[in-house]
C-alpha cells in the first residue's frame, strides 16, 4: 500500500528489521504529476552500521552460505515465482516510483523475475574445476562467498537493476545491502520483502535508501563490505573506485554512455528508423545504453533525417499509466532543467534543432516533468553536445562519408558502452562490429537484452561485467585447493 493511502512514513529495511530510519525525511514524487508517492526517513549513519553488522552476523550464522547450491536455488526460484504472481501491482508501483510508462515497467518486472530464475539455475549448475595436477597432489579451483556485498543502483530502472545485483550476490551465498537511489526507493524495499518471504534469512538483505554522498559513501567505506557493485554516473563510479583502491576491495562499475548508432547506406530503412527511435527515445532517453549519437551515410542523410524527425515528433508522450504511451516524464524537475541546459548549450555552440527542444504543451503536461523528443544536427562529433552524456531524449545526428571516418568518430568518446549498426551487408557489419569499441554491439537491432549475455562497458563506461552464467563469480572469491596424495613425507625436510 502506498503512503499516500496511509499518510504514514514508510519503514525501511535495516538488517531485516522494518523500521523508520533515524535520518532525515524525504519524499518520493510521481514524475507525471509531482504528487508525493511515499514519505520515508533515511537511515542514519548508525543505522547503516547496524544494517551492515547485522548482515555480517546473518552471513556467518544464518546458514544461507552453507546451504547446498540447489537449496539456495530453490529459494531464488521462489523469488522469481512471487515476482511473477505480483507482476501487475509491482509494475504499477514502479510506474509511480519513477514515471516510466506501464508498458516498460511491466518489462522491468518480468526481467527481474527472469534474472532470479537465471541465477538460481547458475547457482545450482556452477561447476568447480579439477585442474591438471603437476605433482603428487590433486588440484582444484573452488569458489567461496565474500560476506557482505553492497548494491548501489540508480533511479532509471529500479527492480531490474537491483535484481541484476541481488540475485547473483545471494546465489553466491552473500548478504547484500542495497542502496537504491533516493528518488526511487520503493522497488528495492518490495524486492527485499519478497526475498524474505521466499526464504532468504532475515538480515541477509537490507535496503538503505538515502543520499548517495552520505549513505552510499558510508556503505562503500565500511570495512565489513567486501565488494560494491555500482550502477550510476561515471564521476560517482570513479569516486567509489578510489575508496575501493584504499580498501583493496573489488568493484564492478556500470557507468555512463554516449553510444553511437550507425546507419549505413544500404540499411533497411523501416528497421533503422524504428531502431534509432527506440534506441534513443524509449525510457525518455534515461538509459545508459541510449543510442544518443547518430551517424548516417551522407547519401542517405537527408531522406533518413526527414523520416526520423517526423516519426520522433509523432511519438506519444504522456501519461505513464496509459498503455499507449511511448515516452513518460523525466525523473525530476531538476533533471529536466539539466537536459534543457544541454540543449541550450548545443544550440549556443551552433547546433540546429530538427525537432523538439521544448516542453510539450497542454493540460496533460502541466504538472509532470515532460520533455519532447529532440533531435539536433549541424554538429561535430567533438562538440560538447556530442561528447557529454545527457541522459534524456536528445539525439545528435551527423552524416559520415566513409567507413574509416565513421569508425574514427564512433570511437572518439570517453565512453564505450554500446553501439548499433544498421546494414544489410553482413561482412561490413562484422568488420565494423569488431572495430567499434563498445561493451555491447547491436546489429540490425538495438537495446535488446538477455540476462544470459554479459554486459558492461569499456573506458569511462565501466569496469567488470554483469549478467551471464559467470556473473555469479563476481560475488565469489576464487580459491585453489591442493590435496596431497604423497605416499612419503615431503622430501625437503629430510
Ligand atoms: P549517480 O548520481 O551516480 O547515482 C547512482 C547511485 O549512486 C544512486 O543510488 C546515488 O544515490 C548513489 N551515489 C551518489 N553519490 C554516491 C557516493 N558518493 N557514494 C556512493 N553512492 C553514491 O547516477 P544517476 O544520476 O542516479 O544515474 C544516471 C547515471 O547512471 C547515468 O550516467 C547512466 O548512464 C548511469 N547508468 C549506467 C548503467 C549501466 O549499466 N552502465 C545503467 C543505468 C544507469 P542518490 O541518487 O540517492 O544520491
Amino acid at each position: 500500500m502506498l503512503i499516500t493511502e496511509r499518510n504514514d512514513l514508510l519503514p525501511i529495511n535495516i538488517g531485516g528489521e522494518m523500521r523508520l530510519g533515524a535520518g532525515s525525511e524525504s519524499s518520493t514524487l510521481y514524475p507525471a504529476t509531482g504528487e508525493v508517492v511515499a514519505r520515508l526517513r533515511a537511515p542514519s549513519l548508525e543505522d547503516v552500521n547496524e544494517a551492515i553488522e547485522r548482515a555480517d552476523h546473518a552471513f556467518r550464522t544464518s546458514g544461507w552460505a552453507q546451504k547446498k547450491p540447489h537449496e539456495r536455488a530453490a529459494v531464488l526460484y521462489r523469488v522469481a515465482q512471487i515476482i511473477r504472481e505480483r507482476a501487475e501491482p509491482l509494475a504499477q508501483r514502479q510506474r509511480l516510483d519513477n514515471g516510466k510508462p506501464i508498458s516498460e515497467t511491466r518489462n522491468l518486472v518480468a526481467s527481474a523475475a527472469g534474472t532470479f530464475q537465471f541465477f538460481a539455475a547458475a547457482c545450482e549448475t556452477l561447476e568447480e574445476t579439477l585442474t591438471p595436477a603437476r605433482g603428487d597432489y590433486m588440484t582444484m579451483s573452488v569458489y567461496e562467498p565474500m560476506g557482505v556485498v553492497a548494491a548501489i543502483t540508480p533511479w532509471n530502472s529500479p527492480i531490474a537493476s537491483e535484481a541484476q545485483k541481488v540475485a547473483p550476490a545471494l546465489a553466491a551465498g552473500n548478504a547484500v545491502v542495497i542502496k537504491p537511489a533516493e528518488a526511487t526507493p520503493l522497488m528495492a524495499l518490495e524486492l527485499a520483502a519478497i526475498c524474505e518471504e521466499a526464504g532468504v534469512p532475515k538480515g541477509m538483505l537490507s535496503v538503505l535508501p538515502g543520499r548517495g554522498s552520505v549513505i552510499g559513501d558510508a556503505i562503500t567505506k565500511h570495512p565489513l563490505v567486501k565488494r560494491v557493485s555500482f550502477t550510476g554516473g561515471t564521476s560517482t563510479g570513479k569516486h567509489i573506485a578510489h575508496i575501493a583502491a584504499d580498501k583493496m576491495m573489488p568493484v564492478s562499475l556500470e557507468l555512463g554512455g554516449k553510444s553511437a548508432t550507425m546507419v549505413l547506406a544500404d540499411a533497411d530503412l523501416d528497421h533503422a528508423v524504428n531502431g534509432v527511435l527506440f534506441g534513443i527515445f524509449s525510457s525518455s532517453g534515461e538509459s545508459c545504453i541510449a543510442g544518443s549519437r547518430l551517424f548516417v551515410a551522407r547519401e542517405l542523410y537527408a531522406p533518413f533525417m526527414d523520416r526520423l524527425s517526423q516519426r520522433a515528433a509523432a511519438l506519444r508522450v504522456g501519461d505513464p499509466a496509459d498503455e499507449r504511451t511511448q515516452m513518460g516524464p523525466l525523473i525530476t524537475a531538476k533533471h529536466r532543467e539539466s537536459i534543457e541546459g544541454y540543449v541550450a548549450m548545443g544550440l549556443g555552440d551552433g547546433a540546429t534543432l530538427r525537432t523538439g527542444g521544448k516542453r510539450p504543451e497542454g493540460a496533460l503536461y502541466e504538472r509532470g516533468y515532460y520533455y519532447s523528443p529532440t533531435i539536433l544536427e549541424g554538429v561535430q562529433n567533438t562538440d560538447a553536445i556530442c561528447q557529454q552524456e545527457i541522459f534524456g531524449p536528445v539525439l545528435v545526428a551527423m552524416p559520415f562519408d566513409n567507413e574509416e571516418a565513421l569508425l574514427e568518430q564512433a570511437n572518439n568518446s570517453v565512453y564505450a558502452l554500446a553501439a548499433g549498426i544498421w546494414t544489410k551487408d553482413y561482412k561490413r557489419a562484422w568488420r565494423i562490429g569488431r572495430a567499434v569499441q563498445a561493451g555491447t554491439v547491436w546489429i540490425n537491432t538495438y537495446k535488446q537484452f538477455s540476462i544470459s549475455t554479459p554486459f558492461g562497458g569499456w573506458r569511462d563506461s565501466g569496469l567488470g561485467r554483469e549478467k551471464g552464467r559467470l556473473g555469479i563469480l563476481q560475488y565469489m572469491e576464487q580459491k585453489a585447493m591442493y590435496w596431497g596424495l604423497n605416499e612419503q613425507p615431503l622430501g625437503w625436510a629430510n
Side-chain angles (χ1 to χ4, degrees), residues 50 64 70 90 97 100-101 120 171 212 241 315 348 355 378 426 442 450 493:
E50 186 183 334
W64 177 254
H70 70 281
L90 285 169
D97 206 16
K100 278 194 168 183
L315 288 173
T355 185
Y426 74 92
W442 285 288
S450 156

Side-chain angles (χ1 to χ4, degrees), residues 163-187:
Q164 263 171 44
K165 299 180 189 306
V166 172
L170 285 176
N174 301 291
V176 189
V177 174
I178 312 178
K179 208 308 276 173
E182 194 179 22
T184 55
L186 300 184
M187 301 314 286

Side-chain angles (χ1 to χ4, degrees), residues 127-449:
E127 290 179 353
E128 295 175 325
T129 42
L130 201 60
T131 56
R134 296 177 73 90
D136 292 334
Y137 42 74
M138 182 177 79
T139 46
M140 297 178 73
S141 179
V142 300
Y143 299 97
E144 309 290 3
M146 304 177 103
V148 182
V149 302
I152 304 182
T153 53
W155 42 259
N156 66 323
S157 300
I159 209 165
S161 41
E162 276 113 29
Q164 263 171 44
K165 299 180 189 306
V166 172
L170 285 176
N174 301 291
V176 189
V177 174
I178 312 178
K179 208 308 276 173
E182 194 179 22
T184 55
L186 300 184
M187 301 314 286
L189 287 163
E190 291 286 346
L191 187 61
I194 289 172
C195 288
E196 198 176 311
E197 185 181 333
V200 174
K202 245 188 197 323
M204 291 295 292
L205 198 50
S206 289
V207 183
L208 304 176
R211 188 147 305 154
S213 54
V214 180
I215 304 303
D217 211 56
I219 294 170
T220 307
K221 287 178 177 153
H222 200 288
L224 287 173
V225 170
K226 304 297 184 205
R227 178 180 195 101
V228 170
S229 176
F230 170 79
T231 300
T234 296
S235 60
T236 318
K238 287 183 177 177
H239 174 76
I240 287 173
H242 278 111
I243 298 172
D246 282 342
K247 282 175 69 180
M248 280 309 268
M249 172 181 73
V251 276
S252 38
L253 304 170
E254 301 285 352
L255 309 177
K258 189 81 179 178
S259 299
T261 308
M262 298 164 258
V263 180
L264 308 193
D266 69 341
D268 178 318
L269 289 195
D270 290 337
H271 283 241
V273 168
N274 274 27
V276 171
L277 289 170
F278 179 64
I280 178 64
F281 296 124
S282 60
S283 312
S284 300
E286 293 171 327
S287 164
C288 54
I289 44 163
S292 49
R293 278 186 305 149
L294 174 65
F295 298 96
V296 183
R298 191 174 294 279
E299 56 266 51
L300 193 64
Y301 187 81
F304 186 85
M305 291 306 294
D306 286 345
R307 249 172 103 170
L308 189 75
S309 321
Q310 279 162 18
R311 294 278 305 281
L315 288 173
R316 293 183 296 277
V317 181
D319 180 1
D322 185 335
E323 315 267 341
R324 296 175 63 255
T325 293
Q326 290 164 301
M327 264 179 61
L330 298 165
I331 187 74
T332 57
K334 194 168 159 226
H335 188 55
R336 178 169 63 178
E337 282 163 23
S338 136
I339 287 162
E340 288 171 331
Y342 278 114
V343 172
M345 175 189 76
L347 294 174
D349 286 348
T352 51
L353 194 60
R354 189 72 193 230
T355 185
K358 59 181 172 44
R359 301 177 183 189
E361 284 159 15
L364 174 64
Y365 306 111
E366 265 163 24
R367 291 188 300 157
Y369 318 128
Y370 291 95
Y371 196 72
S372 300
T374 296
I375 302 179
L376 295 171
E377 58 184 356
V379 292
Q380 303 284 330
N381 183 58
T382 46
D383 293 349
I385 194 79
C386 299
Q387 291 291 320
Q388 294 177 17
E389 184 185 38
I390 298 175
F391 215 58
V394 180
L395 178 70
V396 290
M398 291 157 272
F400 70 87
D401 290 309
N402 55 52
E403 204 172 299
E404 196 186 359
L406 170 64
L407 276 167
E408 196 279 315
Q409 294 179 90
N411 286 336
N412 183 359
S413 168
V414 293
Y415 297 111
L417 190 59
I421 303 167
W422 298 90
T423 178
K424 290 188 195 129
D425 181 340
Y426 74 92
K427 290 180 191 162
R428 280 188 94 193
W430 172 253
R431 207 164 52 231
I432 296 172
R434 295 304 300 255
V436 71
Q437 293 158 3
T440 296
V441 177
W442 285 288
I443 295 163
N444 293 326
T445 188
Y446 201 86
K447 220 176 163 187
Q448 302 302 304
F449 267 129

